[in-house]
Amino acid sequence: MSQLVTVIHFSGHQYLRHRLVLSILSGKPVKIDKIRPDDKNPGLRDYEVSLLRLLERVTNGTVIEISVTGTAILVKPGIIAGGTVVHDCPLSRSIGYFLEPAVMLAPFSKKPLQLTLRGITSDDRDLSADLIRTVTLPHLQLFGISEGLELRIKKRGAPPLGGGEVQFLCPIVKQVKTMNFVDRGRVKRIRGIAHAVRVSPQFSNRMIEAARSVLNRYIPDIYLYSDVYKGEDSGKSPGYALSLLAESTTGVIRSAEAVSVPGGTPEDVALTASRALLSEIRRGGCVDKQHQTLVLLMMVLGSEDVGRCKMGEPTPRTIQFLRDVHQAFSTSFKIVPADKSEQGSSELLFSCYGTGYVNANRTVA
Amino acid sequence: MDDRQHKAHRPALSGAKAEKKKGKGKEKQHGYNEKAFAPRSGRRAERQGRRNIERDQTRLHVPLVNRIPDDEPPPVVVAIVGPPGVGKTTLVKSLVRRYTKQTLNHVQGPITVISGKKKRITFIECNSDLNSMIDIAKVADLVLLMIDGSYGFEMETFEFLNILQTHGFPKVIGVLTHLDLIKKASTLKDTKKALKKRFWTEIYQGAKLFYLSGVLNGRYPDTEILNLSRFISVMKFRPLIFRNSHSYMLADRIEDLTPREEVRASKGKCDRTVTVYGYLRGTNMRPGTKVHIPGVGDLQVKSITKLGDPCPLPDADSEKRRKLSEKQKLLVHAPMSDIGGVMYDKDAVYINVPGSFTRGSNEVPLGEGERMVMDLQDINTTLDDAVARSQIKLFGSSSKPLAVDPGPSRLHSGSEDEEDEDEADDMPEDEDDEDEFEGSEGEEEWGSDAEIEGDEDEEEEEEEKEGGRGRSAPRNVRRGTGGLPSGHDRRGKAIDFADSDSDMGDFDEDEDVDDVPRPGGGARVRFDDEEDVHVQSDDEDEMDEDKEDVPRWKTNLGGRAQAAFEEHSRKRQRNWMKLIYSSSLTPEQIVRGDSLTSQGQNKDEAEDDFFTIKSKGTVGDTEEELDMTKEKVDPEALKAWEDEELLDSIRNLFITGGSGTGDAGGDDGYEDLESSADFVDLEAQTDGQEGATASGDPETAHSVTLAAKKELLKKKFDEQYDDPEDSKMDFYEEKKDEIARQLQLNRAEFENIDPEARALVEGYRPGSYVRVELTDVPAEMIENFDPAYPIVVGGLLPAEERLGYVQVRIKRHRWYAKTLKTNDPLIFSLGWRRFQSIPIYSLDDHSIRMRMLKYTPEHTHCYATFYGPVALPNTGFCAFNSLAGDAAGFRVSATGVVLDIDRSTKIVKKLKLTGVPYKIFKNTAFIKDMFSSALEVAKFEGANIRTVSGIRGQVKKALPKPDGAFRATFEDKILMSDIVFLRAWYSIQPRKFYNPVTSLLLSDKGRWSGMRLTGQVRREEGLKTPLNVNSTYKKVERAPRRFNVLKVPRKLQKALPYASKPKLMKPQGKPTYMQKRAVVMEPEEKKAIALLQQIRALRKDQAARRKEKQNERKEVHRKKVAKEEEQKSEKEKEKRKEYMRAAGMKSKREADKEEGRSSKRRKI
């Protein structure tokens, strides 16, 4: 009798990353069609192809079939191999675009992943390398992935020419821990990194000043680091950015960032970042909106116990992610308002029963 | 004998003796003498203490999570295993009789009985087929291993124990039977002892072994069975890792659901739809997982339905008693055992007609006729009553029924009810009609759902709830043909406008009302879609009403929409589960707050929806095109933060912000920081507190907070001062506590959501009796179904559905007679599966390479890699060369554990390339015949080569002629006769061969045969092995090697010093002096020589005679020995004859037994 292979079917170019991640983790082949069929330039973009390349390199035995027009792909995932991988990211997207799926996959690989990515380290679309280092990786620690988890920013690269380089080291785990995170606590400290490359180092100081002007009214414990890269390490284009994170008493980390725009001032950037941080704090929940998918994924992959997490309202990405998770792992979340009695609160309590995902790729002995 | 009464002993009641006795007794009662056990020295005390601690440590085991629910655990699977004729069926019957007081005639399939207030047992008898033994070993919690005491252990027993070991080793109790066949008491004692010893070495020292004496009334003695049942009931089970991570089920019933017509049309060959029934075990079974039935294959689960427990645990009232009530005792569930579908209950005999239905199972597709009958059953009022009571609501949301004058309404409703029956049949057409009208998606879904469900109850409920909705459209059509004027017209228009309605403020509340009573709206299949529809219809209805006062509707359009949105996003609690999992809204729509009534909101687009959709699409393309993590920041939204009030409003979210009661979540953040006490406890408190805080007015809230704080402080104080040692747990305790807490949370989290949503979120829990519907089941499974073979439904993890290369550590079983050879097929039992695959054996060669082995090594592990279904690393397996029952010897050929899974392998085997020199310079030589082209040479440039004599060298460069020749350098000059070779490694892949053992599909289940070996095929087909002439061994002709003489030129010779000069001389041509001289003797000399010759002759003669004498003596001895030999052989013959006679008798008895077993009537 032949093996029944269920192919998960998706349409549209959106959410390509987490769909591929889910496919690789669940081992189910995925077929994605209608990738920009009506566009002037139909089919996959260069960065999407590059992402597929990266995933092919990180895994072993993955078969990727792209249709002639590029508007449909079929991915038959292999196993996550890990090891040392070097990848040059195209300049159309920043490193964050590639690093996020890598972060989701890396703990479940056969060998610890050492991924070197070259390209743009921060832009306004994806998480910057700074935020991934200071916010995303601590989120993994909630699930017991900590020893040897590191992101090194070797060089910075601002858009449009990039030239940055980061190195991502991730250990492997057998199984992620079940999370139970419902107490958001209160913000106890604010940290931030202001970096400026190929511009006057004063810019970062100006950003810090401006951010402090907004945030100082709340809390005195604010440290904003000025991080200036020089020479070779500063990439090929000028740029500056500010990334902020607020940590609560219970370890909740919320983040926001803003990057330079042509013609803007450092003060504008700082104000945008700090106000975005404030609105993020106001949203509530134990996980900020950029990391909802990561946390939910790890909850699904946990042992066969109930994991709970309090979050703000889901973003469209999260909603689609939940639907895709349901398709890939047939796991649904119980989503209820965190405190029913309170009217104004939009906090939701996500709880799910983990699938008991075990890292089958890991070698014993 | 002698009946004389002995005088009873009368103990002294007073006196010294009584005193003494009393003292002794008291002392004994008192316990032990402390002095007696006190250590004699400090060192001894230390040693004793250490020993105690060590003993305590051995008691500890790695804490494992027990996922079996406490409230309603699945029945314990007790498997009865043993060789044929050992008394398995008798034991099952005896045990069932013990528990249920019923006598079974035929024991087949699992038999579930209630053994206690919280305990049930499923008995299953395992036949002696190896496949069944493997399957049983994977599901049994307790094995009653039966051994024929009069015979001893048999091969099957040991094989089964080995299978058990590799699959997690459940608990085993040995049962010795046929002990009555041993007549002599001392033999009996010795036999028992010997068997026990062997049993203990096989399981563990002290393993329980039961002795059952003879059979009475076809059962074992009641006392012995009672004892055995007591042992079974007190048995504790440690969770096994594999079963703790997989859900599984031992099917106790199987039904074929395929339409008969389809079966008939395909002559019984079509794939079947099959339902299997049983208790779930292991972990939760999620809908949508795949299952594997060993012996059949991987199957897709179409649906899982929880059914009423056929063998329920005693309920609350009987639980008050200490013992199980007699009534409860009589329950037995054994659907396969009752041939002819007869089931016994306390005072009735049930005849179970296959294909009967239960009202509880809603999702079984029913036939038309059945539905009609069920329909009739459901009616509990007369038609007249129904008509009298019927009310018509015009719209689902209208609060009052339509009050129409009795005459027409009566007529109308009557017709409605009449239509009721064929409602379901009409459904598809109805739906079509609706589609024509509205093209709304929700309805379509609803329609099809209803079609599938076909459940009248549900439908009627819906209809009642939703008023006219369900049947409005068809009836409209009918009315249209009837020529009813206004109503239909209006409705038609209304539907046209359905998309454009925007008044959501009103119906919003309606929807709220609907939402509230159903907290777990995530149940997808059942009512969400329907609700969806319901709301939509509201929408239409509202709009119907609105349409009458158009001006009002149009006036404050924007304002109201805005207000509605505000209110909606803030106040309304949306059912996210429903929105996400069972609505077809896009994520963006959900986030924007479009409810299910979404379309109405986009009022601007509503004017001309054709164009707007298009424009929206294009806008979306440019803006939302990218898959971004960070959302675009809206500068306008951030502008809001310039407002001081807003800035201040979030002050309480910071630790410096003071405790505002408005935000309860942040309240105790500070305390957390200070106390940093137990996380979960705190959180639990927080929850309680939150509720209280929010509910009451600020005053009470404050007091509550204070109380909570006090409580917390008190707890902290207690922890610190009461018993600081006690609160500190060691690692083991901590882990156990953690597990217990998580289990508690698991139970609590989904306690009060409705069962269907619960099943969606967490799956079906172990212990529930479920019906699993499987599709595309091979027809042979049903055709050749035999209840004596267990059906195990094993749930698969996502990783296990794939195929890949599996690397295992393997060891040939030391009792398996042959060695295992690479590329010979082997049958594995791994995970749930049994399959045949082709392994390649290998060993790690200095951690550099995996080197192929042709054969498995003796008594040591090696690696094996094969292509097959993936199993998680650390899963144990056992392997067989043949599963046939008639295979001689021990059948388990290897055991091992999975190490690694991959999509490629790195096994290499040694390859030697040889070549010969065709031209030799000093240290350089030209080598040919190693490669065939210059390209190949280029690939091997710099490679090390060697001659047979051990001269090492290197490949340098290819030569133009002949092809494949190359230049090589050596450390010394090589000879023309030398063979040069290059050692290389050639990577090999295991063959992609995977052949599941489909034993359950065969009519003769023990006769499965997989791929055969070439030799086997040749033998069976009578073919000769083809012989390659070049492969035959020939005698190696080695001509003696001739070396040329060393010629040193004369000139050089001259120049050499004497010592170095070659001193070659010609062999002597002339005879030497000693050779050519003549000897002439003197007379004395002649005499002396003659004398000597005579003496020698005499001596010779003497020796000859002596020899002759000796021979004579020897002859006599030889004869004697021969005679003895003959006697001995005679004896031997006799002995053998005796033995053979015994063996013959035994085999005859065996045959008798066999016969007896088949006729179920054993003579004792």
Side-chain angles (χ1 to χ4, degrees), chain A residues 1 3-6 13-17 24 26-28 36 39 45 47 60-61 77-79 93 97 100 110 123-127 178 180-188 190 217-220 249-250 257 272 275-276 278-279 281-282 289-290 303-306 308 310 313-317 319-320 322-323 326 329-335 337 339-344 348-349 351-355 358 360-365, chain B residues 67 244-245 283-284 286-288 290 296-300 524 570-571 573-574 576-577 579-581 583 585-588 590-591 621 624-631 633 638 641-642 644 646-648 650-659 662-667 669-670 672-673 679-680 683 690-691 694 742 745-746 749-750 753 760-762 776 778 798-799 801-803 809 833 872-874 898-904 994 996:
Chain A
M1 212 187 150
Q3 292 270 312
L4 302 154
V5 184
T6 41
H13 66 275
Q14 282 278 41
Y15 317 113
L16 178 75
R17 286 185 293 172
I24 291 172
S26 68
K28 289 176 180 157
R36 303 190 186 86
D39 204 278
R45 296 271 181 270
Y47 56 86
N60 181 16
I79 59 138
R93 289 307 283 264
Y97 179 82
E100 275 176 59
K110 192 178 280 300
D123 73 350
D124 53 352
R125 290 169 184 164
D126 299 294
L127 291 181
T178 303
N180 196 347
F181 200 10
V182 289
D183 190 3
R184 68 178 137 92
R186 291 200 277 180
V187 176
K188 67 173 180 188
I190 292 175
R217 63 188 289 148
Y218 295 113
I219 200 158
T249 50
T250 52
E257 71 174 340
T272 315
R275 281 171 180 169
L278 289 182
S279 48
I281 290 171
R282 191 170 164 228
K289 61 184 174 193
Q290 287 102 333
S303 69
E304 288 178 314
D305 290 311
V306 173
R308 303 197 299 167
K310 202 193 262 184
E313 288 199 353
T315 60
R317 256 165 58 83
I319 290 169
Q320 187 59 43
L322 287 173
R323 287 175 174 178
H326 182 77
F329 284 101
S330 60
T331 295
S332 316
F333 278 81
K334 179 184 143 192
I335 307 165
D339 33 6
K340 292 192 181 77
S341 47
E342 209 172 333
Q343 287 292 308
L348 300 170
L349 187 66
S351 55
C352 84
Y353 197 80
T355 50
V358 179
N361 304 321
R362 204 177 60 114
T363 311
V364 293
Chain B
R67 300 200 183 279
N244 221 6
S245 52
T283 56
N284 293 2
R286 313 282 178 94
K290 260 190 215 161
V296 178
D298 284 10
L299 298 168
Q300 189 78 51
R524 209 155 46 149
R570 196 181 307 126
K571 206 165 104 189
Q573 297 203 337
R574 308 159 71 191
W576 284 95
M577 269 177 92
L579 285 172
I580 292 172
Y581 290 119
S583 73
L585 296 175
T586 63
E588 284 80 14
I590 293 175
V591 167
D621 260 10
E624 301 168 4
E625 185 177 23
L626 297 166
D627 182 11
M628 295 193 300
T629 313
K630 283 198 283 190
E631 285 169 4
V633 281
L638 289 183
W641 288 101
E642 285 167 11
E644 279 293 319
L646 188 60
L647 283 171
D648 278 334
I650 62 163
R651 200 175 264 287
N652 59 355
L653 296 175
F654 293 81
I655 50 169
T656 49
S659 65
D663 183 67
D667 259 1
Y670 223 36
D672 280 355
L673 186 65
F679 183 68
V680 169
E683 167 258 304
E690 268 173 11
Q742 181 66 50
L745 177 67
N746 291 358
E749 182 67 22
F750 301 120
I753 62 175
L760 184 75
V761 175
E762 70 163 357
D776 298 335
E801 292 169 18
R802 296 192 270 177
L803 290 170
R809 194 193 299 129
R833 299 167 201 269
L872 293 183
N874 259 337
V898 176
L899 297 181
D900 189 22
I901 52 179
D902 211 337
R903 289 305 172 87
S904 56
Y994 161 63

Side-chain angles (χ1 to χ4, degrees), chain B residues 202-217:
Chain B
E202 210 51 52
I203 314 243
Y204 63 89
Q205 290 298 307
K208 193 66 209 162
L209 189 61
F210 253 89
Y211 307 111
L212 295 181
S213 44
V215 175
L216 286 173
N217 304 327

Side-chain angles (χ1 to χ4, degrees), chain B residues 771-958:
Chain B
R771 163 192 182 279
V772 177
E773 190 175 345
L774 305 167
T775 49
D776 298 335
V777 180
E780 290 83 359
M781 185 190 176
I782 298 299
E783 302 282 308
N784 302 327
F785 173 68
D786 181 355
Y789 289 80
I791 296 176
V792 175
V793 181
L796 295 175
L797 302 179
E800 291 172 334
E801 292 169 18
R802 296 192 270 177
L803 290 170
Y805 292 112
V806 183
Q807 192 192 51
V808 297
R809 194 193 299 129
I810 196 170
K811 189 180 174 189
R812 182 177 68 87
H813 202 283
R814 55 176 66 225
W815 294 347
Y816 186 70
K818 291 181 227 157
T819 56
L820 304 174
K821 189 169 169 251
T822 282
N823 275 336
D824 273 1
L826 208 56
I827 299 162
F828 293 90
S829 160
L830 171 60
W832 295 121
R833 299 167 201 269
R834 291 178 266 132
F835 58 91
Q836 194 179 33
S837 187
I838 299 180
I840 288 182
Y841 303 108
S842 59
L843 258 186
D844 195 5
D845 204 6
H846 306 290
S847 301
I848 305 170
R849 60 184 85 86
M850 288 294 271
R851 189 175 166 180
M852 188 196 87
L853 295 176
K854 259 189 174 170
Y855 301 97
T856 49
E858 285 281 323
H859 310 310
T860 177
H861 290 281
C862 69
Y863 298 110
T865 310
F866 59 85
Y867 180 80
V870 157
L872 293 183
N874 259 337
T875 314
F877 72 91
C878 54
F880 309 85
N881 271 41
S882 154
L883 295 170
D886 51 2
F890 194 71
R891 282 177 289 180
V892 179
S893 50
T895 55
V897 69
V898 176
L899 297 181
D900 189 22
I901 52 179
D902 211 337
R903 289 305 172 87
S904 56
T905 57
K906 280 184 229 145
I907 306 171
V908 290
K909 69 175 178 186
K910 194 165 78 179
L911 176 73
K912 273 185 182 174
L913 304 174
T914 60
V916 287
Y918 66 92
K919 193 161 175 62
I920 296 170
F921 304 98
K922 264 185 188 160
N923 281 352
T924 303
F926 292 170
I927 317 283
K928 62 173 183 180
D929 292 348
M930 189 179 282
F931 302 111
S932 56
S933 69
L935 187 73
E936 280 178 17
V937 178
K939 200 133 200 228
F940 281 90
E941 265 172 25
N944 291 328
I945 49 177
R946 200 164 73 93
T947 67
V948 178
S949 52
I951 301 170
R952 291 168 294 184
Q954 214 177 21
V955 176
K956 284 297 183 194
K957 224 164 174 94

Side-chain angles (χ1 to χ4, degrees), chain B residues 1097-1111:
Chain B
L1098 277 174
R1099 173 90 192 137
K1100 246 186 205 163
D1101 183 50
Q1102 202 178 7
R1105 269 186 287 137
R1106 202 176 282 164
K1107 189 136 194 196
E1108 205 174 322
K1109 267 263 179 70
Q1110 204 174 7
N1111 266 349

Side-chain angles (χ1 to χ4, degrees), chain B residues 956-975:
Chain B
K956 284 297 183 194
K957 224 164 174 94
L959 293 168
K961 236 172 45 167
D963 249 0
F966 62 91
R967 176 167 58 89
T969 57
F970 293 89
E971 56 189 2
D972 200 356
K973 189 174 177 178
I974 62 168
L975 297 176

Side-chain angles (χ1 to χ4, degrees), chain B residues 670-685:
Chain B
Y670 223 36
E671 281 85 4
D672 280 355
L673 186 65
E674 285 168 348
S675 62
S676 68
D678 196 4
F679 183 68
V680 169
D681 283 4
L682 257 188
E683 167 258 304
Q685 279 189 0

